[in-house]
Amino acid sequence: MYEALPVPYGLVRFGVAPDHPEVKNVIHKFASIAEDARFRFVGNVNIGRDLQFAELKPHYDAIVLSYGAQEDQHLGIPGEESIKNVFSARAFVGWYNGSPEYRNLNPDLTSSDTAVVVGQGNVALDVARTLLSPVDDIARTDITSHAVEALRKSKIKHVHLIGRRGPLQAAFTAKELREMIALPDTKLNIDLNLVHSQIKADAEALAKDRPRRRLMELLIKGATKTFSEEPSKSWTLQFLRSPVELVPHPETNALKAVLLEKNTLQGSPQSPKAVGTGQIEELSTGLLLRSIGYRSVPFRGVPFDSRKGLIPNVKGRVSDEKDSASGLYVSGWLKRGPTGVITATMYDAIETATSIVEDVQAGNLKSQVASKGSDGFESLKDLLKERGANPISFKDWESIDKAEITAGEAKGKPREKIVDVQSMLKIVAAGRAE
Ligand SMILES: Cc1cc2nc3c(=O)[nH]c(=O)nc-3n(C[C@H](O)[C@H](O)[C@H](O)COP(=O)(O)OP(=O)(O)OC[C@H]3O[C@@H](n4cnc5c(N)ncnc54)[C@H](O)[C@@H]3O)c2cc1C
């Protein structure tokens, strides 16, 4: 398994919210697979930079591409790329989860009491929960210390989540909504009239859709929750709104406001389209995070469907290949598009693995390795060395893992993630010298 970073686990480490440790338990399963003598982790090797795909291919009988969706969707509105304190949720999440790429993001959480998240999925809710949770609770998780420091100083008390369609079309799920409703000293604002009118308009379909009905009941319960004292914090689900422009402070170029266009819904109630009304309203905010989805990037020499943003495949077999038994497979977000939780990702990994086993059993996989006398990674080692790469083994990762857990113990946390690659490599070097 080739991995660009010295550490394994992808978005389970860098995406999943720090206060959801139970979700990360899947790591134990991954780690037990890594114990198998037939498995090899080759970390700190970026395919496309340290090794080209074409160089890798002759050394393996089968290759599974599973590099996820490394980019995020943009809003495409004026000010998005130039105004300060406007980020993707991916970057913001990566910053608090210790991704080396985003460790220097430095979001300013002090110059405004309001943050805007564009999107109404579970990632948007993760971000809102992190911004509004009591910091002492968050500080006990594996969140990075730099994020805890910034959250302690944070002035953000109000988070608006913007969705272009209505409550029935929101993408978050009941568990995440319940967690938001349970936040202490935090009230939920929604347009209850809109919720009731959508429920009424779509009553027939809702009668057959228990999870969605439950979600609507929860929304109403959350918005009508009573507090003994007026809460100091709030989160607002703004439905039927699309951001159309970001407004900077003229002197500092920091974000001052977002202009939102009101939408109306057209088409079938099951899958309505948001259509702009031309009515614009201004929402003051000092931080904007877009959470509207991810995008996979093509790999040179591999077919790619740029409209769907994935590698075309049939049950994980890359389907554009002229030779149907080319030994090229795909799995994860790259296979079915950047949506779905870990369970869904595991199910389609099983589907891809089943395709490989079937191809082996049917004798369809020509052994390129045997015919070329190659020995997988062993045959690529020298080339990597020549290029100055420093491949990391699973044992090396275990040194990093141990150092993180030890550093976390001192702070009452499960781990303190090491956030830069150089420091990771120093720990590896020390581990190898022992
Ligand atoms: C913010 C966020 C929160 C989430 N929270 C949850 C949750 O609470 N529960 C849940 O079930 N699911 C959650 N998910 C979804 C879950 O993370 C995904 O289903 C899953 O991680 C997708 O797996 P993947 O292998 O396709 O991609 P990834 O997990 O992204 O793994 C891809 C790996 O490929 C590596 N890579 C990329 N390019 C290269 C290259 N050129 N060379 C070598 N290696 C490369 C990356 O470093 C990465 O390690 C969340 C997702 C996000 C974005």
Side-chain angles (χ1 to χ4, degrees), residues 2-5 7-12 14-17 20 23 45-48 66-70 89-90 93 123 126 176 294 299 331-334 336 339-343 345:
Y2 287 83
E3 163 59 51
L5 287 166
V7 295
Y9 308 137
L11 283 172
V12 180
F14 296 120
V16 172
H20 283 173
V23 176
V45 173
N46 185 311
I47 306 302
S66 190
Y67 56 85
Q70 300 296 305
R90 169 185 212 99
V93 169
V123 174
D126 282 351
E176 280 70 17
Y294 299 94
F299 235 35
S331 187
W333 275 13
L334 186 62
R336 60 169 202 282
T339 55
V341 291
I342 294 163
T343 321
T345 304

Side-chain angles (χ1 to χ4, degrees), residues 13-320:
R13 178 177 162 106
F14 296 120
V16 172
D19 58 346
H20 283 173
E22 70 290 351
V23 176
K24 299 182 202 218
N25 281 341
V26 67
I27 281 177
H28 302 311
K29 185 160 186 148
F30 296 157
S32 73
I33 292 165
E35 299 298 318
D36 192 306
R38 297 167 299 170
F39 176 87
R40 188 200 298 265
F41 176 72
V42 185
N44 201 30
V45 173
N46 185 311
I47 306 302
R49 188 194 63 197
D50 300 312
L51 264 186
Q52 296 307 314
F53 173 71
E55 290 169 325
L56 195 65
K57 208 163 178 260
H59 296 283
Y60 291 91
D61 290 336
I63 293 184
V64 182
L65 296 166
S66 190
Y67 56 85
Q70 300 296 305
E71 290 189 352
D72 66 292
Q73 303 279 13
H74 289 232
L75 298 163
I77 59 173
E80 184 182 8
E81 314 297 339
S82 57
I83 296 176
K84 283 193 254 177
N85 237 22
V86 175
F87 306 108
S88 66
R90 169 185 212 99
F92 189 71
V93 169
W95 168 73
Y96 64 63
N97 272 335
S99 155
E101 191 179 350
Y102 300 114
R103 70 186 207 277
N104 295 323
L105 194 76
N106 267 335
D108 176 4
L109 310 180
T110 58
S111 52
S112 159
D113 67 356
T114 304
V116 165
V117 183
V118 182
Q120 294 184 336
N122 282 337
V123 174
L125 258 54
D126 282 351
V127 165
R129 197 176 65 254
T130 304
L131 286 168
L132 294 172
S133 287
V135 183
D136 287 338
D137 293 355
I138 295 260
R140 285 194 287 269
T141 69
D142 70 0
I143 192 170
T144 51
S145 286
H146 62 231
V148 172
E149 255 172 61
L151 287 166
R152 278 203 196 286
K153 293 186 199 134
S154 169
K155 299 258 185 327
I156 290 172
K157 291 201 164 294
H158 310 287
V159 179
H160 291 252
L161 293 101
I162 314 293
R164 69 199 147 114
R165 301 194 291 170
L168 274 181
Q169 289 78 41
F172 50 75
T173 47
K175 174 181 173 267
E176 280 70 17
L177 176 56
R178 246 184 245 115
E179 286 173 322
M180 287 301 290
I181 293 170
L183 282 178
D185 189 27
T186 310
K187 112 177 154 193
L188 163 61
N189 298 316
I190 48 170
D191 178 350
L192 272 176
N193 288 337
L194 177 67
V195 178
H196 286 299
S197 71
Q198 265 213 335
I199 291 176
K200 208 167 149 197
D202 208 18
E204 212 176 297
L206 264 183
K208 289 181 227 138
D209 186 348
R210 192 172 177 279
R212 199 124 292 259
R213 217 168 54 233
R214 187 75 199 105
L215 203 68
M216 294 304 107
E217 286 162 8
L218 265 176
L219 270 183
I220 295 167
K221 190 174 151 205
T224 51
K225 182 174 159 182
T226 52
F227 294 84
S228 51
E229 271 176 50
E230 183 58 19
S232 68
K233 297 185 277 185
S234 73
W235 67 293
T236 305
L237 284 164
Q238 294 240 22
F239 298 111
L240 299 178
R241 301 286 186 281
S242 292
V244 287
E245 189 175 338
L246 303 182
V247 184
H249 278 285
E251 307 90 53
T252 60
N253 196 36
L255 181 66
K256 184 170 163 240
V258 51
L259 301 185
L260 301 171
E261 179 173 12
K262 280 191 179 183
N263 296 330
T264 163
L265 293 182
Q266 287 181 7
S268 80
Q270 280 73 45
S271 178
K273 247 183 95 173
V275 180
T277 61
Q279 260 179 289
I280 304 289
E281 52 192 36
E282 185 170 323
L283 175 61
S284 296
T285 180
L287 171 69
L288 184 131
L289 304 167
R290 53 169 188 263
S291 181
I292 52 169
Y294 299 94
R295 240 185 358 200
S296 293
V297 288
F299 235 35
R300 205 188 317 154
V302 178
F304 191 76
D305 180 336
S306 39
R307 198 178 59 80
K308 294 188 185 148
L310 46 77
I311 293 188
N313 68 93
V314 178
K315 292 190 176 174
R317 294 179 180 96
V318 176
S319 57
D320 254 26

